[in-house]
Amino acid sequence: MQTFWLQNWRLMLSKRSRKTVVAAILLPVLVYIGVQWYMLDHLLLPSPPSRSSASGLQPLYAPGVDEKHVDIQTDNGKLTCPERRNLVFLKGMKCATSTLLGMFNRFAIKRNLSVALPMGNRIYHNWPYPMTLRDVRPTHRGVYNMILHHAVYTPAVMRALMPADTVYISIMRQPFSHLRSVFRYFNVAEIAGVSGFEQDHLAEYFSDVERYERVYKSPNAQKRWCIPDGFSVTRNLMSHCHGMPLGFPVGARDISRDAAAIDAYIRQLGRSFELVMIVEHFYESLILLRRFMCWEFKDIVFVTSNVAPTQKGIPKTKTYPRHIEEFHKRWSYADYRLYDYFNSTLWSHISRHGTGFHQEVKAFKAVQKRVEKYCLDVYSRDNQSEKLPAHTEASSKWSRRFYINAEDCRALGPQPIKMLIKMKQESEILDKALLQEDAKSADVRKYKGLC
Ligand SMILES: *[C@@H]1O[C@H](CO)[C@@H](O)[C@H](O)[C@H]1NC(C)=O
Ligand SMILES: *[C@@H]1O[C@H](CO)[C@@H](O)[C@H](O)[C@H]1NC(C)=O
Ligand SMILES: *[C@@H]1O[C@H](CO)[C@@H](O)[C@H](O)[C@H]1NC(C)=O
């Protein structure tokens, strides 16, 4: 850059043309603009949030940059679009949703948006029962911008709570891989009393699934966490989370054996959800999310969280006899239909984006790797992390230059559920009167979630 200017300058001086005069005037102007740009881009970082307030509460919401329009690079050039901020993220079980929760938390905090919070000590909005208006804390903010915590897709209630331009987003996972994760996470084998061949808990469970399910779902089952009696976690769990009527609670409509009704429901979902991400194609899903929401790279960086540990020596990659997966395909039929449908819509969306899309995925992977490494460093330093300088990512064809600091990392993870606790602490103080008012009317519902 410098040599370029020097060479030009010498050239202009030697020619002593009229251009020299013009350049002599232009150059300081250019330098001035350059310095201003440098100051804006490099030095004027958003200041850290002030640590004091009258209530003694640490403000959660960092006053961030208020960017309302973002340039999205497409194959046909730049597209400027308004950043979307109102969303319902259907947080299923064991579908990388905690990772995404951290990402959305940070987005909300940066922009001082209102996240719907479950009541009391709960972490679900009445999951696995349908969400009702009673399952969200009233807020002094007057609006909700995001629903992020576990909830069954309940369109009428969600529409009543959310602004009209709300975007519906979800994520799904290959059903057998999902089953394996759920099976470990909810400790199904132990609760159902599967004994003996430890290596083959899943195989044993499906060798006599009706019996094991009965034990698992029974009111006498011990140590079942957050799962009410009569609810199956091995059968069509994703479809249930997406509001498909599958006979829960007892007496509810059940379309699990009606292939035409299942397909009709899935098509209906496809019209209601703007984006259904796929765990197996996570990066492609994120780039679709970014383009669709008009967000930037810095809004989609993440920290991996809540990945189930390997249990009792069962490697995650263990392969199962083919007949078990075949059995599960019939057992959990709706989930396979659901997954196949949305995996195929994901790829048809992607095909409409052109080749630039895949370059962007590749570029983002590299960014993500560096950012996650930085955040892991922050977490490992615990309370010393403030001293760590911010991490910088250069601008690229797809994203402006950006910074990630220790505070960003703590908004992202490593356990996003902790942010829920912080947000609730804030709500306890700022929404006190509203919460007291709310508590006056008794909750006499028959079906209430456990967590
Ligand atoms: C965040 O928004 C609330 C209203 O929703 C407002 O009272 C508060 O001052 C805002 N905080 C910041 C830091 O902008
Ligand atoms: C999703 O669909 C694409 C395109 O049809 C296919 O290549 C891919 O294997 C599918 N992914 C999974 C995990 O089934
Ligand atoms: C950091 O944490 C350690 C232990 O967790 C504690 O002993 C130390 O006082 C803390 N330092 C600061 C500056 O808070």
Side-chain angles (χ1 to χ4, degrees), residues 94-123:
K94 307 311 297 165
C95 287
T97 57
S98 292
T99 299
L100 290 171
L101 175 62
M103 189 187 93
F104 292 132
N105 271 342
R106 175 170 166 272
F107 187 91
I109 290 167
K110 279 291 189 193
R111 286 153 181 80
N112 194 14
L113 301 177
S114 166
V115 175
L117 303 174
M119 298 299 293
N121 295 327
R122 291 172 177 236
I123 52 174

Side-chain angles (χ1 to χ4, degrees), residues 21-174:
V21 183
V22 178
I25 298 164
L26 262 179
L27 192 62
V29 174
L30 285 174
V31 167
Y32 177 77
I33 292 171
V35 168
Q36 289 294 314
W37 174 81
Y38 182 87
M39 296 271 289
L40 271 174
D41 202 31
H42 294 229
L43 305 175
L44 303 180
L45 293 174
S47 49
S50 93
R51 283 288 166 204
S52 62
S53 81
S55 60
L57 188 72
Q58 288 196 348
L60 271 179
Y61 296 97
V65 230
D66 207 39
E67 300 134 325
K68 289 209 165 68
H69 288 79
V70 174
D71 293 332
I72 298 289
Q73 186 74 41
T74 70
D75 282 9
N76 304 322
K78 260 189 189 155
L79 173 76
T80 300
C81 50
E83 178 184 274
R84 292 176 201 245
R85 296 179 166 187
N86 297 327
L87 66 94
V88 169
F89 167 55
L90 204 66
K91 191 178 189 301
M93 296 286 167
K94 307 311 297 165
C95 287
T97 57
S98 292
T99 299
L100 290 171
L101 175 62
M103 189 187 93
F104 292 132
N105 271 342
R106 175 170 166 272
F107 187 91
I109 290 167
K110 279 291 189 193
R111 286 153 181 80
N112 194 14
L113 301 177
S114 166
V115 175
L117 303 174
M119 298 299 293
N121 295 327
R122 291 172 177 236
I123 52 174
Y124 302 162
H125 296 292
N126 210 34
W127 187 94
Y129 298 103
M131 184 176 184
T132 74
L133 294 172
R134 289 215 66 143
D135 298 309
V136 51
R137 287 179 178 229
T139 171
H140 66 287
R141 293 168 174 274
V143 292
Y144 304 103
N145 301 106
M146 296 187 178
I147 294 179
L148 302 178
H149 296 282
H150 291 288
V152 169
Y153 177 54
T154 317
V157 172
M158 290 171 169
R159 269 200 301 272
L161 287 170
M162 300 297 290
D165 64 354
T166 295
V167 169
Y168 288 76
I169 297 167
S170 171
I171 183 162
M172 292 177 190
R173 180 169 177 178
Q174 197 282 327

Side-chain angles (χ1 to χ4, degrees), residues 218-280:
S218 123
N220 305 323
Q222 301 286 310
K223 292 184 285 184
R224 208 179 44 214
W225 190 68
C226 291
I227 306 290
D229 298 342
F231 185 73
S232 171
V233 294
T234 65
R235 189 167 191 211
N236 296 325
L237 182 59
M238 288 191 294
S239 300
H240 175 82
C241 293
H242 286 81
M244 193 184 285
L246 296 169
F248 179 85
V250 178
R253 190 174 162 228
D254 182 1
I255 63 168
S256 63
R257 289 173 206 286
D258 182 343
I262 289 172
D263 287 350
Y265 187 86
I266 292 171
R267 281 194 302 274
Q268 175 64 40
L269 272 181
R271 287 190 287 273
S272 311
F273 279 73
E274 274 80 4
L275 177 65
V276 175
M277 303 167 76
I278 295 287
V279 171
E280 283 72 22

